Amino acid sequence: MSVKLVILGLLMEGNKHPYEIQQTINERQMKHYIKLASGSLYYAFDTLEKNQLVKVVDVIRETNRPEKTVYSITDAGREEFERLYFEQLLKKEHMHRPVYAALSFTSYVDQEKVASTLEKKIEETAAYLEKMQNLYQVKKVDHSIANLSIIMRTIMHLKVELTWFTHLLEAAKSNKLTEVDDGYFEDVEKIVDEF
């Protein structure tokens, strides 16, 4: 996701300083779908200001603390926000997953080790699914459908991924990962057809 879109979108809610933007991202659990280093955040603010998409409205000076520069979005920033919003909405999603690269070379490794690694992956995925389900329960009482749909899509994805990993684990345990079997995923196909 575009760092500029995140900053401009959060400034649409009101004036903020970069640290406040970072805190909002953390509080709203946006870190699960936005990769944002604090250094890139400050650089993005500088770029947005140079392009007159945001402007400084205040500098907070507290004793024993660094200054906090408060920004607001400009009219040009609102136009850019809208452009970025629709650009992001239409952006093609890439299905790059590290596991795909590994699976491409499965015939060169011990399938027992693959099985034990998949068991760990299943545990991690199940724990993340539980975390997202708990987050959904907390957020559903006061968040918009648009915001909840992000969490729900993650939950749906994780459920499908658990099913997929479970089938891979079964194949690894029975030494079938490198074999051809066109009927192996029939039950998964049925689940996918339900979507």
Side-chain angles (χ1 to χ4, degrees), residues 8 11-12 53 72-83:
L8 294 173
L11 288 176
M12 292 286 284
L53 302 174
S72 81
I73 191 167
T74 64
D75 289 339
R78 284 182 178 81
E79 289 176 20
E80 179 66 1
F81 165 76
E82 189 169 316
R83 187 192 71 74

Coordinates of all heavy atoms in Angstrom, one line a residue, residues 8 11-12 53 72-83:
L8 N -2.0 10.6 3.8 CA -3.1 11.6 3.4 C -4.4 11.1 3.9 O -5.2 11.9 4.4 CB -3.1 11.7 1.9 CG -1.9 12.3 1.2 CD1 -1.9 12.3 -0.3 CD2 -1.7 13.8 1.7
L11 N -4.6 12.0 7.5 CA -4.7 13.5 7.7 C -6.1 14.0 7.3 O -6.5 15.0 7.7 CB -3.6 14.2 6.8 CG -2.2 14.1 7.4 CD1 -1.2 14.8 6.5 CD2 -2.1 14.7 8.8
M12 N -6.8 13.2 6.5 CA -8.2 13.5 6.2 C -9.1 13.5 7.4 O -10.0 14.2 7.5 CB -8.8 12.5 5.2 CG -8.2 12.6 3.8 SD -8.7 14.0 2.8 CE -10.3 13.5 2.3
L53 N 1.3 19.0 -0.8 CA 0.1 18.1 -0.6 C -0.2 18.1 0.9 O -1.3 17.8 1.3 CB 0.4 16.7 -1.0 CG 0.8 16.5 -2.5 CD1 1.2 15.1 -2.8 CD2 -0.4 17.0 -3.4
S72 N -1.2 19.4 8.2 CA -2.6 19.2 7.7 C -2.5 19.0 6.2 O -1.6 19.3 5.5 CB -3.4 20.5 8.0 OG -3.2 21.5 7.1
I73 N -3.6 18.4 5.7 CA -3.7 18.1 4.3 C -4.1 19.4 3.5 O -5.0 20.1 4.0 CB -4.6 16.9 4.0 CG1 -4.5 16.4 2.6 CG2 -6.0 17.2 4.4 CD1 -5.2 15.1 2.3
T74 N -3.6 19.6 2.4 CA -4.0 20.8 1.5 C -5.1 20.3 0.5 O -5.4 19.1 0.4 CB -2.8 21.3 0.7 OG1 -2.4 20.3 -0.2 CG2 -1.7 21.7 1.7
D75 N -5.6 21.3 -0.2 CA -6.6 21.0 -1.2 C -6.0 20.1 -2.3 O -6.6 19.1 -2.7 CB -7.2 22.2 -1.9 CG -8.1 23.0 -0.9 OD1 -8.6 22.4 0.1 OD2 -8.3 24.2 -1.1
A76 N -4.7 20.4 -2.7 CA -4.0 19.5 -3.6 C -3.8 18.1 -3.0 O -3.9 17.1 -3.7 CB -2.7 20.1 -4.0
G77 N -3.6 18.1 -1.7 CA -3.4 16.8 -1.0 C -4.7 16.0 -1.1 O -4.7 14.7 -1.2
R78 N -5.9 16.6 -0.9 CA -7.1 15.9 -1.0 C -7.4 15.3 -2.4 O -7.8 14.2 -2.5 CB -8.3 16.9 -0.6 CG -8.4 17.2 0.8 CD -9.6 18.1 1.2 NE -9.7 18.3 2.6 CZ -9.0 19.2 3.2 NH1 -8.1 19.9 2.6 NH2 -9.1 19.3 4.5
E79 N -7.0 16.1 -3.4 CA -7.1 15.6 -4.8 C -6.2 14.4 -5.0 O -6.6 13.4 -5.6 CB -6.8 16.7 -5.8 CG -7.8 17.8 -5.9 CD -7.5 18.9 -6.8 OE1 -6.6 18.7 -7.7 OE2 -8.0 20.0 -6.7
E80 N -5.0 14.5 -4.5 CA -4.0 13.4 -4.6 C -4.5 12.2 -3.8 O -4.3 11.1 -4.3 CB -2.6 13.9 -4.1 CG -1.5 12.8 -4.2 CD -1.2 12.4 -5.6 OE1 -1.7 12.9 -6.6 OE2 -0.3 11.5 -5.8
F81 N -5.0 12.4 -2.6 CA -5.6 11.3 -1.9 C -6.6 10.5 -2.7 O -6.6 9.3 -2.8 CB -6.2 11.8 -0.6 CG -7.1 10.8 0.1 CD1 -6.5 9.7 0.8 CD2 -8.5 10.9 0.0 CE1 -7.4 8.8 1.4 CE2 -9.3 9.9 0.5 CZ -8.7 8.9 1.3
E82 N -7.5 11.3 -3.3 CA -8.6 10.6 -4.1 C -8.0 9.9 -5.3 O -8.4 8.7 -5.6 CB -9.6 11.6 -4.5 CG -10.8 11.0 -5.2 CD -12.0 11.9 -5.4 OE1 -12.3 12.7 -4.5 OE2 -12.6 11.8 -6.5
R83 N -7.0 10.4 -5.9 CA -6.4 9.8 -7.0 C -5.7 8.5 -6.6 O -5.8 7.4 -7.2 CB -5.3 10.7 -7.7 CG -4.7 10.1 -9.0 CD -3.5 10.9 -9.5 NE -2.3 10.8 -8.6 CZ -1.6 9.7 -8.6 NH1 -1.9 8.6 -9.3 NH2 -0.5 9.6 -7.8

